[in-house]
Amino acid sequence: MFIYSKKSNKYETYANYFLVNIFHKSYFENFKPTLPRLLPTPATVMQHILNPRSIAIVGASSDPRSFGGFVLANLERFAYQGAIHLVSRGSTDINGRPCVATVDALPQGIDLAVLAIPEAGVLEAIEKLGRLGTRAAVLFASGYAESGDEGIAKQAALTQVAAQSGIRLIGPNCMGFTNFAAGVPVTFEPLAAPALRTRPQGPGIGVVAQSGFMAATLRDAFAGRGLSLSCVFSTGNEAGVRVEDVLAHYIGDASIGVVAVYAEQIRNPQNFLTLARAAKAAGKPVVMLMPGKSERARAAAQSHTGALAGDHAVAMVQLRHAGVTVVDTLDELFDTTAILLRHPQPPAGGVAFMTGSGAMKNLALDFADSIGLPVPALSAATTQALKEKLPAFAVAENPLDYTTIGVRQPGLVGEILTTMLSDDGIGSLVLAIPAGPVMAQRDKADHILPALASANKPAILVITGDDGPMEPFFVEAIRASGVPMFRSADRALRAMRHVVARGADASARSSGLQAPQPVAVGLPGPKPRTGVYPEFQGKAWLKQLGIAVPQGALATSADEAVQIAQRIAYPVVLKAQASELPHKSDAGGVIVNLKDEAALRAGWQTLHANIARHRPGLQLDGVLVEAMGAPGLELVIGAKRDPDWGAVLLVGLGGIWIEALKDVRLIPADLSEVAIVAELNQLKAASVLRGLRGAKPVDLSAIARVVRLLGQQMQANPSILEIDVNPLIAYAEGSALPVVALDALVVLAP
């Protein structure tokens, strides 16, 4: 069923209109033609950007609070080892460094220029830098595409001049970057190098954010936890270097172990997905926060970075399928990244929760259940091993309250958590304990931290008590151990949900869940002018795919309709057919439960009268005469091709349930039947599918087969934009005909 959308000025499938975000794209479409096509930044250019042998500050100033002054001060604090060239109209010397008056006086072949000058001089400076062979330039200034039509025009001119000059731009509207691993801070925000360049051992975190504020926020959050930062990069409006370019560099950078991404729009989604799969293959986690769920958030993204979000729901599906750990909040971005830096390999199994409090145990169990975090039962062997260590009154289970034994035997707590982690069904562990007095903190540092640090599975520490004081020696011991530490059990469990999901995804992929290679099946008949195939053609196509549809045929006269009804047997339904009439019911074009010839002839007249009244002048292809379907469970199966992110499928309960429950799953188009069944079991109303209150379960495999077939066609036939099967009637397992498609529309690109 289709609904007319005023926003997009076209017909949308009911399921998509009601449940999937459809984004207005006029902003991006108006902006895109004015820009030259930006190719990915070559790896060599990214090397010269992040590891420049020479930097020119155009607009250097002796004023320490100017942008140029801040950049120079940062370079000096970080003891930058390359050549620094200063361009200043008002100074011949800054901090003992000579200045030249114009860009023309700079030497050839500078790797990176920082433009700290008024907008009026930017284009000329870029042209001159291009003639000197400068490779890249950072532009902090705002007032470009994020600020409206005038800014869009300015950014288009800026991008064109930079492209013609052979210069790769960073920005505008950005805060630059800081390569901590190489000691290259190219940002106007004053940085304290000793405080941030800590823990050089092992790979660190690579941050890339379109928002400079978010780049700084992530930097400070990770530094505040004592985590190793390798690089922080702000891309701003992305007139040149984009998030994808930075990600590509990070994947090949041995100093980076995990990537944290904040992006409001991915300008080349398919490239980003390819890179995400490469990161996954390299064992380098990518954790991403991408706003845009709400209409107001999408509008704010346009005004913030000149970005226009694509279909957010589709993007989330494709990102997760490519191996990206997509989080919902900024806290989750902090927390999940911190865990994955320590434990990048996906764990196999659920989470174990340990505490010395029955109250905390119960709270954790409730919270884990509310967020869908699996807390599996322990094996018999693990249970027996725990009983040998625990007091007789303690219950050996997951979550585990080990009581007060840690007070007298702190080393025993470490032994218990090691026993928990040895269980094959346990993939990670959360230990929640209070800091306690000084002696207790010393015990934890000496006995519990080593056990957590030596774990070969993700094992994290929660010190309860919110901002309650901790002794400096204990804080330092935790940081030195590398064990991820939280002050909130809720935050820890939310982060572990994402970590555990990575393991579940890896397990699914290793189980051979990829669907067979798809083969396109052509649609019958000529392509309609509107691109919308009417139901009778859509069903003929489904039948070619092997999907059952009701018996019936197209009639062009009442007599022909009677002959068809006599052949398929009463009762029948009449459905008006025209590609220009996706809303048959709204126009009175569906007449149901016609039990004999007289009723059929009367229904024929009523149908045509309704169409003439609601859509005068509309020429029907005919009327579909079909056998009435037997009652069953109504489902909706849909498919949609996002122009940026590709094809996804929609599955859920149909009919009135879609309005009442809004219970659908968006899934990738290339899943196998086994994986699709797993998705069906994730529906809120999965119990209805499995048989509720004595009802027989429906045939999930048959439903999954329909979904897989539609997914294969979306992959094999790029001209298909949408498919809508609503309802698909599912019957009990063992039925001769387990599923029947009662309605179908297919939309092709015009």
Side-chain angles (χ1 to χ4, degrees):
M1 182 165 56
F2 278 57
I3 286 180
Y4 184 75
S5 168
K6 292 182 179 178
K7 183 184 296 183
S8 59
N9 194 31
K10 66 175 184 177
Y11 289 101
E12 305 287 356
T13 62
Y14 180 84
N16 283 345
Y17 181 87
F18 198 82
L19 295 161
V20 183
N21 298 320
I22 303 296
F23 292 69
H24 184 47
K25 299 195 174 181
S26 62
Y27 175 92
F28 185 55
E29 293 304 322
N30 290 337
F31 181 35
K32 184 165 57 176
T34 68
L35 299 180
R37 182 170 180 266
L38 289 178
L39 299 175
T41 303
T44 53
V45 176
M46 289 303 301
Q47 283 287 354
H48 286 289
I49 290 172
L50 287 166
N51 298 277
R53 296 164 301 178
S54 55
I55 296 175
I57 302 176
V58 181
S61 171
S62 57
D63 179 359
R65 299 189 71 84
S66 66
F67 276 13
F70 283 133
V71 173
L72 178 58
N74 281 332
L75 290 171
E76 291 179 340
R77 267 195 300 273
F78 275 63
Y80 170 65
Q81 298 299 302
I84 299 177
H85 303 276
L86 305 180
V87 179
S88 175
R89 290 184 176 180
S91 302
T92 59
D93 179 281
I94 299 176
N95 296 352
R97 297 179 182 274
C99 303
V100 297
T102 65
V103 171
D104 304 278
L106 289 171
Q108 289 276 341
I110 290 174
D111 283 339
L112 183 66
V114 179
L115 300 178
I117 58 176
E119 178 201 323
V122 168
L123 296 184
E124 180 183 4
I126 290 176
E127 289 176 337
K128 290 181 177 180
L129 289 167
R131 289 195 290 270
L132 292 171
T134 304
R135 296 175 183 270
V138 178
L139 181 58
F140 301 130
S142 56
Y144 286 88
E146 81 284 357
S147 61
D149 292 342
E150 184 178 348
I152 290 172
K154 287 196 298 183
Q155 184 164 322
L158 172 69
T159 306
Q160 186 171 19
V161 169
Q164 292 170 347
S165 301
I167 288 182
R168 187 60 62 162
L169 278 177
I170 299 99
N173 188 31
C174 76
M175 289 180 65
F177 66 89
T178 302
N179 185 346
F180 291 103
V184 185
V186 184
T187 178
F188 60 83
E189 187 179 14
L191 299 179
L196 289 172
R197 294 180 65 192
T198 58
R199 312 221 176 271
Q201 71 278 10
I205 300 170
V207 173
V208 57
Q210 289 168 336
S211 160
F213 178 92
M214 285 300 176
T217 298
L218 289 164
R219 178 199 66 209
D220 293 347
F222 297 136
R225 293 186 177 192
L227 302 176
S228 176
L229 278 162
S230 294
C231 189
V232 177
F233 203 112
S234 163
T235 59
N237 287 12
E238 300 189 344
V241 173
R242 301 169 299 197
V243 165
E244 306 97 283
D245 301 319
V246 182
L247 176 59
H249 177 84
Y250 283 176
I251 292 171
D253 189 337
S255 75
I256 292 174
V258 60
V259 181
V261 180
Y262 175 86
E264 292 164 358
Q265 183 207 8
I266 298 300
R267 287 174 168 79
N268 189 335
Q270 294 307 312
N271 183 32
F272 189 92
L273 294 174
T274 298
L275 291 169
R277 288 187 283 268
K280 179 178 68 178
K284 190 167 290 191
V286 177
V287 189
M288 184 173 182
L289 175 61
M290 186 176 181
K293 291 181 182 180
S294 68
E295 192 69 39
R296 290 182 66 183
R298 292 191 292 275
Q302 294 180 23
S303 63
H304 183 57
T305 61
L308 180 74
D311 188 315
H312 189 271
V314 175
M316 296 300 99
V317 170
Q318 302 292 42
L319 287 165
R320 290 189 176 99
H321 192 48
V324 177
T325 299
V326 180
V327 297
D328 299 316
T329 67
L330 195 54
D331 286 347
E332 291 177 9
L333 185 56
F334 300 151
D335 300 341
T336 308
T337 302
I339 297 173
L340 293 177
L341 177 64
R342 172 77 174 180
H343 298 282
Q345 295 305 315
V351 67
F353 188 89
M354 283 180 55
T355 182
S357 161
M360 178 58 73
K361 165 187 170 179
N362 294 334
L363 287 172
L365 189 59
D366 282 348
F367 188 75
D369 184 67
S370 71
I371 63 174
L373 174 62
V375 182
L378 301 173
S379 69
T382 302
T383 301
Q384 181 57 41
L386 288 174
K387 287 180 178 178
E388 296 171 3
K389 300 178 186 297
L390 293 167
F393 57 85
V395 181
E397 62 182 1
N398 184 28
L400 176 67
D401 169 17
Y402 57 76
T403 71
T404 59
I405 59 173
V407 176
R408 291 182 298 105
Q409 298 175 278
L412 190 55
V413 177
E415 294 179 20
I416 290 171
L417 72 86
T418 300
T419 301
M420 295 276 280
L421 283 170
S422 67
D423 193 308
D424 290 340
I426 299 298
S428 54
L429 181 141
V430 177
L431 174 64
I433 51 179
V438 175
M439 182 176 69
Q441 293 185 44
R442 181 66 68 186
D443 287 342
K444 293 175 176 67
D446 293 343
H447 299 287
I448 295 176
L449 273 178
L452 290 167
S454 62
N456 60 358
K457 299 176 182 179
I460 66 178
L461 176 64
V462 177
I463 300 298
T464 59
D466 200 23
D467 288 333
M470 295 170 59
E471 294 295 322
F473 77 83
F474 189 33
V475 174
E476 181 52 35
I478 293 171
R479 290 191 173 188
S481 73
V483 173
M485 190 273 285
F486 299 82
R487 299 304 304 266
S488 161
D490 291 0
R491 283 183 61 166
L493 291 171
R494 283 190 185 278
M496 288 304 296
R497 178 189 61 170
H498 295 295
V499 174
V500 170
R502 280 174 49 82
D505 291 343
S507 175
R509 288 191 294 269
S510 66
S511 299
L513 297 186
Q514 292 300 314
Q517 186 67 26
V519 177
V521 174
L523 280 127
K527 177 182 174 182
R529 178 182 57 81
T530 62
V532 180
Y533 278 84
E535 180 183 356
F536 77 97
Q537 284 182 286
K539 282 182 172 174
W541 181 66
L542 293 182
K543 194 171 182 180
Q544 289 180 18
L545 297 178
I547 299 171
V549 299
Q551 294 186 69
L554 192 69
T556 56
S557 68
D559 290 341
E560 191 175 0
V562 169
Q563 293 174 5
I564 295 170
Q566 290 173 342
R567 185 170 69 248
I568 63 177
Y570 292 97
V572 298
V573 57
L574 300 180
K575 299 181 179 182
Q577 300 293 296
S579 63
E580 293 85 357
L581 189 67
H583 296 285
K584 301 185 293 289
S585 297
D586 292 351
V590 179
I591 310 294
V592 301
N593 202 28
L594 303 174
K595 297 180 179 180
D596 53 34
E597 180 178 343
L600 187 153
R601 291 185 180 278
W604 183 274
Q605 296 298 325
T606 300
L607 181 147
H608 282 81
N610 291 341
I611 297 298
R613 183 170 63 256
H614 287 281
R615 294 293 303 274
L618 177 66
Q619 182 68 42
L620 296 180
D621 296 321
V623 175
L624 183 60
V625 183
E626 281 188 338
M628 287 286 293
L633 182 62
E634 293 189 23
L635 303 172
V636 57
I637 310 295
K640 174 185 176 181
R641 186 178 310 282
D642 184 89
D644 298 320
W645 290 97
V648 294
L649 306 175
L650 179 146
V651 296
L653 295 189
I656 63 169
W657 297 109
I658 197 169
E659 294 188 50
L661 300 179
K662 305 177 180 65
D663 187 18
V664 298
R665 301 280 295 179
L666 280 178
I667 63 175
D670 62 347
L671 294 188
S672 73
E673 291 179 23
V674 174
I676 295 166
V677 168
E679 291 286 346
L680 290 169
N681 281 316
Q682 293 298 311
L683 288 167
K684 298 173 187 175
S687 58
V688 177
L689 301 175
R690 293 191 290 264
L692 192 63
R693 296 196 173 190
K696 291 184 178 180
V698 297
D699 194 328
L700 291 180
S701 295
I703 299 168
R705 176 176 173 272
V706 173
V707 178
R708 176 179 62 80
L709 289 171
L710 297 186
Q712 287 181 330
Q713 292 309 302
M714 292 298 289
Q715 294 175 79
N717 193 338
S719 66
I720 299 178
L721 299 183
E722 295 186 34
I723 305 170
D724 191 25
V725 179
N726 184 22
L728 177 79
I729 303 297
Y731 299 105
E733 285 183 339
S735 299
L737 203 58
V739 291
V740 177
L742 293 193
D743 200 354
L745 283 175
V746 181
V747 182
L748 266 66

